[in-house]
Amino acid sequence: MKIAILGAGISGVSLARMLAADGHDVVVLEKSERAGGLCKSRQVDGFTFDDAGGHIMFSKRQDVLQWMKDRCGGDRHLVRTERQTKIRWHDRWVPYPFENGVGHLTKEAIVDCMEGYIDAHVQRRLGAPCPENFGDWIEWRMGGGFARHFMVPYNEKIWKCDLRRMSSAWVAGRVPEAPIRDVLSSAVGLDTQGYAHQSVFWFPEHGGFETMVVGTVRDGGFELRCNAPVENVRRDGDAFRVNGERYDLVVNTVPLPLVEPAFEDIPDEIRGDIRELVPISLVNVLIGVKLDEPMPPLSWIYLPFPEQGPANRVTYYSNYSPHNAPAGHGCYMAEVTHRGELRADRAFARDVCRALDAAGILDADRVVTIDHVDSRFAYIDQDLGFDARIGRVRGWFDTSGYITFGRFGRYEYHNSDQCIGRAMEVREHVRDIADTGRPARPRFA
Ligand SMILES: Cc1cc2nc3c(=O)[nH]c(=O)nc-3n(C[C@H](O)[C@H](O)[C@H](O)COP(=O)(O)OP(=O)(O)OC[C@H]3O[C@@H](n4cnc5c(N)ncnc54)[C@H](O)[C@@H]3O)c2cc1C
C-alpha cells in the first residue's frame, strides 16, 4: 500500500520504519525542519540538551527496549545509569518515590505520613471506593500526611489547577502502589526501592535523546518530507488524499487539535471535542555550568514547593552522558509547566536559575550558558470530562478508516517506548488490513 504518516515524532518515524520493512511505500509528512518532535535535542555553546525536558530510555517491554537500543547502535553507544532520584524537601534530600523515602523526613512528618497511610489502607480494606477525582484519590491512596507533605504541592505545581478537577483515571497503572511493608520499613530507616521498572535506564552517548530518532530515520526505507505541514486530508472513494496526493491509508500522529482543521470529514461534534483537548505546555530551561568538582550523582530531582521557584523537576543532564557537557562543565535542565500564560524569555530563565541557587541546587555564579525551549504540547490535561471526550474522538477515528496514535495523536499519556509499542500494534493492524480488508476496529482500540 501507499501509506501517508502525518508527523515525524518518534511515533511517526518508528511506524514508518516498520511499515517500510513490510514492503509498503511510506511517506512521512512533517511540519518542522526535521524529525523528532518531543524527542528532539539541541547543541548550545558545546552543551547538548533535550528540548522537552529530560528523556531517558527504559521500557517494561524487552522487545521495545531492544528496538530503541538498536536504533542508537546498541549498548556500546549507550550510557547505562542506575537511577538516583531525590526530592528536595525543604532543606533535606529525600529519596524518590516519596513513600520509599519517608524515613528521611522529620519525625513529625513521618508520623503524619504513616498515620495517614495506615488509615487510608484500612479505609480501602473496608471498601472505600476509588474516587473519580485526582485530589481525593491522593488522600484515598496515600493518606493525608503524604498528601500534605508532597503529593498535593508537587502535583499542583505540575498540573497548575485544583487537583479535584482532574480525573483519577490517568494514574491507574502509572503510579505503582508501594507495599505497606516497604513504607513501614522506610519509616524506621530501612532502605527500600520503588519503581523497579525504571531503576536502570540508558541514554545515547552522543547527540541527546534525538539520536534514537536519527537512527530510526537513517536507512528507514521510507520518504521523510520535512517543512511539509499537513493542510488537507480527505477521502477519495476507497482511498484518501493528503495535500492532494493519493494514498491507500492515512495514519495520523500529529497532536489532534493541530491537525483537526486539515481533516475535511470530521463531524462537528467530534471537532468540538478535539478543540477541548487542552494541552499543558512546558518551558525547559537549559543551564550550563562550570564545575570545580563532579556534579552530585543524581539523575533528576523534584522540587515540590512554590518557594523553590517555578521548576518542578531538574535533570542532572551531564550525568546521563559525559558528552552532554564540555570538559570541566556540567549541565542541568529545569522544567516549568504552564497553561499558555507564561511568556518565557532570558530574564525568566535567569529567575529560574536564581531560584535553584536559593534552593541549594546550583551556584548561579557558575552558570555559563542559559537558554530555554517552550513546547506547547507536553502533558495532557486529564480533567473530569477527558475520558468521555477522548473516547468519542478515538471512537470516530477508529471506525472512520483513518488510524490515529501517538502521545497527542491519540491523547495517550505515553512515553516514547509506549509510542513505539503502539507503532508495533498499528503495524499488526495494517497487516490485518492488507490481509483481510478493513476490520471494523483496530485490535489496539
Ligand atoms: C517533560 C517530558 C518528559 C518526558 N520524558 C520521557 C522519558 O524520559 N522517556 C521517554 O521515553 N519519553 C518521555 N517523554 C515522552 C515522549 O517525549 C513522547 O512520548 C514522544 O516524544 C511522543 O512522540 P509522538 O511522535 O507521539 O509526538 P510528537 O513528538 O509530539 O510528534 C508530533 C509531530 O507532529 C508534527 N506536526 C505538528 N503539526 C503538524 C502538521 N500540521 N503537519 C505535519 N506535522 C505536524 C510535530 O512537528 C512533531 O514532529 C517525555 C515527555 C515530556 C513532555
Side-chain angles (χ1 to χ4, degrees):
M1 289 188 281
K2 184 171 178 195
I3 302 175
I5 297 180
L6 319 182
I10 190 63
S11 297
V13 295
S14 60
L15 178 68
R17 188 176 177 102
M18 294 173 202
L19 295 182
D22 285 350
H24 298 292
D25 176 5
V26 183
V27 177
V28 182
L29 296 155
E30 166 59 44
K31 178 177 166 186
S32 84
E33 80 302 343
R34 68 183 201 279
L38 285 169
C39 292
K40 275 182 183 162
S41 308
R42 65 179 58 197
Q43 266 66 44
V44 185
D45 300 338
F47 294 90
T48 300
F49 296 101
D50 287 342
D51 278 14
H55 277 62
I56 59 171
M57 194 176 287
F58 72 98
S59 187
K60 288 181 187 168
R61 280 182 59 174
Q62 278 312 307
D63 57 339
V64 172
L65 181 62
Q66 193 55 51
W67 195 96
M68 296 167 98
K69 288 181 167 185
D70 288 347
R71 303 288 79 74
C72 299
D75 280 302
R76 69 200 168 88
H77 294 291
L78 292 162
V79 180
R80 178 184 182 278
T81 300
E82 288 183 17
R83 174 175 57 86
Q84 282 270 15
T85 45
K86 294 211 162 141
I87 297 157
R88 185 71 170 157
W89 193 78
H90 305 292
D91 59 350
R92 294 179 180 225
W93 290 105
V94 174
Y96 182 83
F98 199 65
E99 309 91 279
N100 298 81
V102 62
H104 295 254
L105 308 182
T106 56
K107 289 202 165 106
E108 293 77 10
I110 296 175
V111 173
D112 282 352
C113 289
M114 293 320 300
E115 184 190 24
Y117 201 74
I118 292 165
D119 189 40
H121 187 80
V122 170
Q123 293 303 326
R124 289 201 307 279
R125 283 279 170 95
L126 291 173
C130 179
E132 274 180 23
N133 78 69
F134 182 45
D136 290 345
W137 180 92
I138 292 175
E139 296 256 349
W140 174 82
R141 172 72 172 274
M142 317 275 299
F146 278 113
R148 196 166 64 254
H149 287 297
F150 176 67
M151 288 293 284
V152 169
Y154 176 69
N155 280 289
E156 282 180 350
K157 205 176 195 190
I158 189 164
W159 299 109
K160 298 281 185 302
C161 68
D162 178 347
L163 302 179
R164 282 168 305 186
R165 64 168 284 282
M166 286 176 71
S167 161
S168 63
W170 70 276
V171 264
R174 202 169 174 97
V175 180
E177 183 166 356
I180 195 155
R181 189 183 171 84
D182 282 11
V183 183
L184 288 168
S185 301
S186 168
V188 297
L190 296 173
D191 271 345
T192 58
Q193 206 192 39
Y195 294 12
H197 68 284
Q198 250 189 26
S199 59
V200 170
F201 65 86
W202 289 262
F203 197 80
E205 210 173 15
H206 295 278
F209 203 70
E210 188 178 331
T211 295
M212 178 175 75
V213 176
V214 172
T216 305
V217 172
R218 187 188 305 128
D219 303 327
F222 59 90
E223 185 188 344
L224 171 63
R225 291 187 201 155
C226 293
N227 302 308
V230 174
E231 279 158 358
N232 182 268
V233 185
R234 64 182 173 87
R235 287 161 205 264
D236 184 7
D238 280 347
F240 301 89
R241 291 207 177 254
V242 179
N243 295 353
E245 195 170 334
R246 187 188 175 285
Y247 294 91
D248 298 304
L249 195 59
V250 176
V251 184
N252 174 59
T253 71
V254 173
L256 289 168
L258 297 181
V259 82
E260 169 268 313
F263 276 76
E264 276 191 11
D265 46 358
I266 298 179
D268 284 347
E269 61 277 17
I270 301 297
R271 285 190 197 282
D273 282 330
I274 293 175
R275 286 172 194 163
E276 283 186 51
L277 293 172
V278 181
I280 294 174
S281 308
L282 177 82
V283 172
N284 184 26
V285 179
L286 320 175
I287 307 163
V289 295
K290 200 159 169 38
L291 293 176
D292 291 327
E293 51 190 49
M295 281 172 129
L298 290 166
S299 308
W300 65 86
I301 61 161
Y302 297 94
L303 301 171
F305 304 118
E307 60 272 20
Q308 296 165 327
N312 63 72
R313 188 170 84 125
V314 176
T315 300
Y316 287 58
Y317 191 61
S318 46
N319 287 342
Y320 286 14
S321 165
H323 300 286
N324 288 345
H329 294 76
C331 55
Y332 304 88
M333 297 185 300
E335 294 167 22
V336 181
T337 53
H338 66 102
R339 286 177 176 264
E341 74 288 358
L342 180 65
R343 295 282 166 265
D345 54 15
R346 287 190 82 77
F348 173 79
R350 273 194 228 104
D351 286 348
V352 170
C353 271
R354 272 195 284 275
L356 295 180
D357 185 326
I361 313 304
L362 53 76
D363 178 355
D365 292 338
R366 312 290 285 163
V367 172
V368 294
T369 286
I370 191 158
D371 208 337
H372 66 276
V373 186
D374 198 350
S375 301
R376 185 168 160 226
F377 286 81
Y379 291 103
I380 295 171
D381 182 12
Q382 308 196 57
D383 66 12
L384 290 166
F386 173 78
D387 277 353
R389 199 179 300 130
I390 195 63
R392 290 188 292 269
V393 173
R394 288 179 193 151
W396 182 79
F397 272 95
D398 291 343
T399 49
S400 65
Y402 296 110
I403 300 169
T404 193
F405 82 109
R407 186 164 166 114
F408 291 100
R410 201 173 175 83
Y411 270 71
E412 292 181 304
Y413 191 9
H414 278 178
N415 277 330
S416 65
D417 64 310
Q418 294 164 299
C419 293
I420 294 164
R422 259 291 180 258
M424 291 173 174
E425 291 165 358
V426 173
R427 173 190 212 172
E428 293 304 319
H429 177 55
V430 174
R431 284 177 177 165
D432 285 350
I433 293 174
D435 290 349
T436 63
R438 290 186 196 278
R441 269 177 186 272
R443 275 191 260 166
F444 63 79

